[in-house]
Amino acid sequence: MDLKSNHTAPVLADPAPISKSRLVASSLFPYSSPAPVFSPNLLLTVPRKKTGILDDVRASSWLDAMKSSSPRQTSTRDYNHEIVSTDTDVAYRTWMVKYPSALSSFEQITNFAKGKRIALFLDYDGTLSPIVDNPDFAFMSIDMRAAVAKVAKYFPTAIISGRSRDKVYGFVGLTDLYYAGSHGMDIMGPVRESSDDPPNCIRSTDKQGKGVKLFQPASEFLPMIDEVFNSLVNSTKEIKGAKVENNKFCVSVHYRNVDEKNWKTVAQCVHDVIRNYPRLRLSHGRKVLEVRPVINWDKGKALTFLLESLGLSNHDDVLPIYVGDDRTDEDAFKVLREGNLGYGILVSSAPKESNAFFSLRDPQEVMEFLKSLVNWKKTSVL
């Protein structure tokens, strides 16, 4: 996976302006760039001077957002053709006109990738592993691990997850990858002698003795995150189904197994804890509330950092592909779309607005896509 480059720009340098003709051929995308109708990183705005029950407007808005993440399906019948379908299926097929399948569009993707170096970036939960009731058991399948291992032999590959870096490495267990945990706030990447290291970056060695660069832009928040984690464990211990997870630079409060009537109580507990920490903010993922430092860093910036560390930024012959399923992945999709750099692929079985170009339905389709990339690479070098 070592890539040689003479590129000497600083690690965190802004990319040079890129011509729109670099990526998007007129025939490649039969639709216009979507303007997202939601904030990619939906924040729960909590009043810091009030106590007691959350105000009805904000609480109602939050609960509506949660209910919309699990839409109820209603069946309809076409009596002329004896076909039973669901409203959700119809909506999904319509949505795919705007976000076509990366599998059915694979030839388009690889035609554009000819003569380019693909760099692959993957989320973990919901992308490489299914979403499960207990986040401690979000194991990837043996077949998925084999697919990721094979694709990493042909393309530089990184996992960018909301989990702690150590935890996601424990799930994946592959050494030929780069890992970024805590939504990109804990990155272990390659060392390039020609680049300057930014603040909060140290050089070390991995378990194989290979030189690596460890970048942790939120390191000063570690004691605060530990305090909040302990407080949230204590305040939610009486809520059946609630689980608090320490992801090193962020704290995740999972309510997937909490009765819907108690969701408001979960939000209240989180609010009561973080109201005393103005340097922390609350964001909302797939049935999880996440407490994160207030810093200008996200998965999009982690993607940019890794491209620079790999010596792949500001090169016309590089095609980054990012595959993810969560709101936090939208920051990376946005970097690729607005910079006209590469392709974002949203993993979703339900329609939703996105900055991605393509879609995949579930981890099974992600695995098929990874295998297709390997097969394409093998045949293209023959």
Side-chain angles (χ1 to χ4, degrees), residues 91-156:
Y92 190 81
R93 288 195 296 270
T94 303
W95 175 78
M96 287 185 68
V97 174
K98 191 174 184 180
Y99 305 99
S101 167
L103 293 176
S104 61
S105 304
F106 189 76
E107 185 175 356
Q108 284 182 297
I109 295 172
T110 52
N111 281 342
F112 190 78
K114 289 179 180 178
K116 299 181 184 295
R117 293 173 289 169
I118 290 177
L120 192 60
F121 302 89
L122 306 166
D123 184 25
Y124 183 76
D125 292 277
T127 299
L128 299 181
S129 73
I131 298 295
V132 295
D133 289 341
N134 188 336
D136 291 337
F137 298 126
F139 302 114
M140 64 195 308
S141 67
I142 295 175
D143 290 341
M144 178 65 88
R145 181 173 289 103
V148 174
K150 288 180 180 178
V151 82
K153 290 182 179 180
Y154 291 95
F155 312 103

Side-chain angles (χ1 to χ4, degrees), residues 120 122 128 144 148 151 366-374:
L120 192 60
L122 306 166
L128 299 181
M144 178 65 88
V148 174
V151 82
V366 173
M367 184 169 65
E368 292 179 31
F369 180 76
L370 298 181
K371 290 180 177 179
S372 297
L373 280 177
V374 170

Side-chain angles (χ1 to χ4, degrees), residues 95-328:
W95 175 78
M96 287 185 68
V97 174
K98 191 174 184 180
Y99 305 99
S101 167
L103 293 176
S104 61
S105 304
F106 189 76
E107 185 175 356
Q108 284 182 297
I109 295 172
T110 52
N111 281 342
F112 190 78
K114 289 179 180 178
K116 299 181 184 295
R117 293 173 289 169
I118 290 177
L120 192 60
F121 302 89
L122 306 166
D123 184 25
Y124 183 76
D125 292 277
T127 299
L128 299 181
S129 73
I131 298 295
V132 295
D133 289 341
N134 188 336
D136 291 337
F137 298 126
F139 302 114
M140 64 195 308
S141 67
I142 295 175
D143 290 341
M144 178 65 88
R145 181 173 289 103
V148 174
K150 288 180 180 178
V151 82
K153 290 182 179 180
Y154 291 95
F155 312 103
T157 302
I159 308 291
I160 304 180
S161 172
R163 303 282 194 132
S164 71
R165 179 170 51 81
D166 289 341
K167 190 171 294 183
V168 75
Y169 176 79
F171 279 131
V172 178
L174 298 172
T175 58
D176 290 336
L177 309 179
Y178 302 107
Y179 293 88
S182 303
H183 300 292
M185 289 181 283
D186 186 10
I187 302 175
M188 182 174 284
V191 172
R192 292 181 61 226
E193 297 301 331
S194 60
S195 65
D196 297 327
D197 292 340
N200 299 306
C201 186
I202 60 174
R203 298 195 178 199
S204 183
T205 56
D206 62 14
K207 295 180 180 179
Q208 287 69 46
K210 182 174 62 177
V212 293
K213 182 162 51 180
L214 186 62
F215 181 56
Q216 298 176 332
S219 56
E220 65 178 291
F221 288 87
L222 278 175
M224 189 183 301
I225 291 294
D226 286 339
E227 284 182 16
V228 169
F229 169 72
N230 291 327
S231 296
L232 286 172
V233 168
N234 184 63
S235 66
T236 61
K237 63 184 179 182
E238 301 299 328
I239 304 176
K240 184 178 180 180
K243 181 176 178 61
V244 183
E245 183 180 16
N246 189 336
N247 285 312
K248 193 166 185 176
F249 292 102
C250 59
V251 178
S252 302
V253 182
H254 301 270
Y255 53 88
R256 181 169 299 276
N257 297 321
V258 176
D259 192 301
E260 187 174 325
K261 67 183 180 182
N262 294 324
W263 287 358
K264 190 174 181 179
T265 305
V266 174
Q268 185 67 49
C269 288
V270 177
H271 162 256
D272 289 345
V273 170
I274 71 166
R275 63 193 298 269
N276 298 315
Y277 295 88
R279 298 182 67 198
L280 299 178
R281 65 184 177 93
L282 194 62
S283 64
H284 173 222
R286 294 179 64 177
K287 293 193 175 178
V288 60
L289 297 176
E290 294 189 304
V291 180
R292 302 164 61 179
V294 179
I295 64 170
N296 187 23
W297 196 262
D298 51 41
K299 287 187 175 182
K301 289 182 171 57
L303 167 66
T304 302
F305 178 90
L306 283 166
L307 283 172
E308 180 65 37
S309 298
L310 289 163
L312 298 177
S313 63
N314 300 332
H315 288 277
D316 289 339
D317 66 340
V318 173
L319 181 65
I321 297 176
Y322 187 105
V323 187
D325 75 305
D326 197 69
R327 281 191 177 99
T328 57

